[in-house]
Amino acid sequence: MNAFFTNPALLVFLGGGCGSLARYAVGQFLPASALGQPFPLAILLVNIVAGFVLSFMAGFGLARAGTEPIRLLVGVGFCGGLSTFSSFSNDTLTLLQTDRVGAALLNITLNVLLCLVASAGGLWLGQRI
């Protein structure tokens, strides 16, 4: 059983599947609009959460001995499956193609700034625990 939990590819696979399912679930429960207009709120939220979790793990010091399986499962797998730059890019392009330049710029700004703030907060918290 121990070999099962130390197989790097399996850990990334399991974490990635869970992260992808979580992203799907958020998309099902979060409205796809803001102020009556389509806006990719779910992708924004999952990107913020993934940035926080990954930076928290870095701040917590997951480079310590024995933590590689956790890094692979949660950091590489789950956070990789949860966050999505391709959906962010596609959503932004769709906003631009439908002449919603302001919404596209807002999406870019919110994703970059809020993900950076979440990452900084995760790092800060992880370093203090």
Side-chain angles (χ1 to χ4, degrees), residues 44 47-49 51-52 106 108-120:
L44 174 62
N47 286 341
I48 291 168
V49 169
F52 177 85
L106 179 63
I108 293 167
T109 302
L110 289 176
N111 267 278
V112 172
L113 291 180
L114 294 178
C115 289
L116 283 172
V117 168
S119 293

Side-chain angles (χ1 to χ4, degrees), residues 38-60:
F39 193 82
L41 292 173
I43 298 304
L44 174 62
L45 178 62
V46 298
N47 286 341
I48 291 168
V49 169
F52 177 85
V53 170
L54 191 59
S55 292
F56 174 83
M57 290 176 56
F60 190 65

Side-chain angles (χ1 to χ4, degrees), residues 13-129:
F13 174 76
L14 291 174
C18 290
S20 295
L21 285 172
R23 180 176 70 228
Y24 173 76
V26 169
Q28 294 302 298
F29 292 107
L30 228 107
S33 64
L35 303 174
Q37 296 274 338
F39 193 82
L41 292 173
I43 298 304
L44 174 62
L45 178 62
V46 298
N47 286 341
I48 291 168
V49 169
F52 177 85
V53 170
L54 191 59
S55 292
F56 174 83
M57 290 176 56
F60 190 65
L62 283 183
R64 291 182 250 166
T67 60
E68 183 64 3
I70 297 168
R71 186 188 75 80
L72 291 172
L73 180 70
V74 178
V76 177
F78 183 79
C79 289
L82 179 64
S83 66
T84 172
F85 192 80
S86 58
S87 291
F88 157 71
S89 300
N90 186 64
D91 290 339
T92 303
L93 183 59
T94 298
L95 291 170
L96 289 170
Q97 289 174 327
T98 56
D99 294 324
R100 297 193 54 225
V101 176
L105 292 174
L106 179 63
N107 190 42
I108 293 167
T109 302
L110 289 176
N111 267 278
V112 172
L113 291 180
L114 294 178
C115 289
L116 283 172
V117 168
S119 293
L123 182 64
W124 178 85
L125 184 62
Q127 289 173 335
R128 276 144 187 84
I129 290 183

